[in-house]
Amino acid sequence: MLVALAFVGLILLGLPIGFAIGAAGVIGLFEMGGDKFLALGPSKIFNGLNIFPFLAMPFFILAGEIMNHTGITSRLVHLAQALVGHFRGGLAHTNMLASVFFAGLTGAATADAAAFGRTLVPAMVERGYKKDYACAVTAAGSIIGPTIPPSGLMVVYGSLMGVSIGGLFAAGILPGLIICATCMIVIAIGATANDLPKSEKRAQLRELAQIFRQSILALMMPIIILGGILGGIVTPTEAASIAVAYALFIGTFVYRKITVADFIQMLISYGAGYGCDLCNHCLRFDPRMVAQFQSDPAAGRPGLPAVRR
């Protein structure tokens, strides 16, 4: 009870979730085992991060951050708009389809929501969409991020449970597309009731081909990642590092929009945003640790040999 009150209180005070989890966890450890139980904290934090496949998740997110900085996001939005923008409520459909494209770059719901919350939501409001409707569409589309590979949640689950991450990636493609199709059907059904703006002019075939050529480099990245993993050429962690190198190459030598100062700034903002996610994981509560300590306190303390009595 004390742990729950401490966690809720810290959240209400505005403390980041990762630090609130850590502080509440320290209170819980002290309440259950006193200062002896607190000795489990450092080893628990280290063991929570000392998993090699976990490197894939930050690499994928960093690759998406680089792609977003180079203007790839806007190119994907233009491609989605050229494909579905002619329907009634075209920007809502564009938002949903662009989420599918962007999910193949980052695999994170927060990155999807942040990217389109800054770009598509203001554009939808300017075109006559209600702000709450635009935000709802963006939030619904962001769910596709952890479903379509490369998914950060699949990397975590596969690493902890010993399940093939490549198999999880392959299994997530169809559900992600079904989510997108279902949301677009809901948008189409409610287009009249929500008084969505009428469709724009359908893109001509030549214009569509030109937009596709501009977006082909971004669309190649998910193909490289999935092809390498499912083909057994690289591991998910290696594929993630290749994705970062690919994004840096495109941004630096093809689009020429990344400088050394830009890259350092991206690393700083990326580290600040991803730090809390790491805290959420490494400070998570593990009932097995409590059971081990209660059954054999000496075995649960780091640096001490197990003592059988």
Side-chain angles (χ1 to χ4, degrees):
M1 185 64 180
L2 181 61
V3 175
L5 291 176
F7 177 73
V8 174
L10 292 173
I11 291 295
L12 292 177
L13 290 175
L15 195 69
I17 294 179
F19 297 105
I21 292 176
V26 170
I27 294 174
L29 292 176
F30 189 81
E31 184 182 15
M32 288 183 292
D35 57 345
K36 295 180 179 180
F37 210 4
L38 287 177
L40 293 173
S43 63
K44 176 60 181 172
I45 294 175
F46 176 78
N47 292 332
L49 296 176
N50 191 29
I51 301 177
F52 181 73
F54 276 5
L55 287 174
M57 185 166 56
F59 274 136
F60 281 133
I61 297 177
L62 178 59
E65 180 74 19
I66 297 173
M67 286 288 197
N68 190 26
H69 182 82
T70 57
I72 291 296
T73 303
S74 60
R75 295 172 186 268
L76 294 177
V77 170
H78 290 158
L79 176 61
Q81 190 169 5
L83 292 172
V84 298
H86 57 277
F87 296 118
R88 186 180 183 93
L91 273 183
H93 291 291
T94 298
N95 194 329
M96 202 59 59
L97 186 58
S99 295
V100 174
F101 295 151
F102 199 71
L105 302 179
T106 63
T110 53
D112 188 306
F116 296 135
R118 293 192 301 262
T119 55
L120 278 178
V121 170
M124 292 175 69
V125 173
E126 185 179 352
R127 296 286 183 89
Y129 293 81
K130 296 180 180 179
K131 188 173 183 179
D132 56 351
Y133 183 86
C135 293
V137 171
T138 303
S142 67
I143 300 175
I144 302 174
T147 308
I148 289 182
S151 169
L153 293 179
M154 291 180 183
V155 172
V156 173
Y157 179 83
S159 302
L160 293 178
M161 303 306 295
V163 181
S164 170
I165 298 177
L168 291 174
F169 281 179
I173 298 175
L174 183 58
L177 296 178
I178 291 176
I179 293 174
C180 176
T182 302
C183 291
M184 293 181 70
I185 290 173
V186 172
I187 292 172
I189 293 175
T192 303
N194 293 308
D195 193 24
L196 298 184
K198 295 183 179 180
S199 60
E200 301 177 358
K201 182 180 178 181
R202 182 190 294 266
Q204 300 296 324
L205 185 59
R206 179 179 299 178
E207 180 183 0
L208 183 61
Q210 181 180 1
I211 296 174
F212 181 79
R213 284 196 301 269
Q214 294 174 352
S215 308
I216 188 64
L217 292 178
L219 296 175
M220 284 294 294
M221 193 165 81
I223 298 175
I224 294 173
I225 294 171
L226 287 180
I229 295 175
L230 297 180
I233 302 174
V234 294
T235 66
T237 306
E238 293 167 346
S241 60
I242 291 174
V244 173
Y246 179 78
L248 277 176
F249 178 81
I250 292 176
T252 305
F253 298 105
V254 179
Y255 297 127
R256 298 183 178 180
K257 291 188 176 181
I258 296 181
T259 62
V260 175
D262 292 334
F263 184 62
I264 294 175
Q265 185 60 40
M266 278 189 290
L267 290 178
I268 293 174
S269 60
Y270 157 77
Y274 188 67
C276 277
D277 290 337
L278 288 180
C279 289
N280 293 343
H281 170 71
C282 68
L283 296 175
R284 73 190 189 281
F285 179 78
D286 191 349
R288 295 173 297 179
M289 182 180 68
V290 179
Q292 180 187 14
F293 182 85
Q294 290 176 342
S295 62
D296 191 348
R301 295 184 64 180
L304 294 178
V307 177
R308 298 294 180 183
R309 294 183 180 179

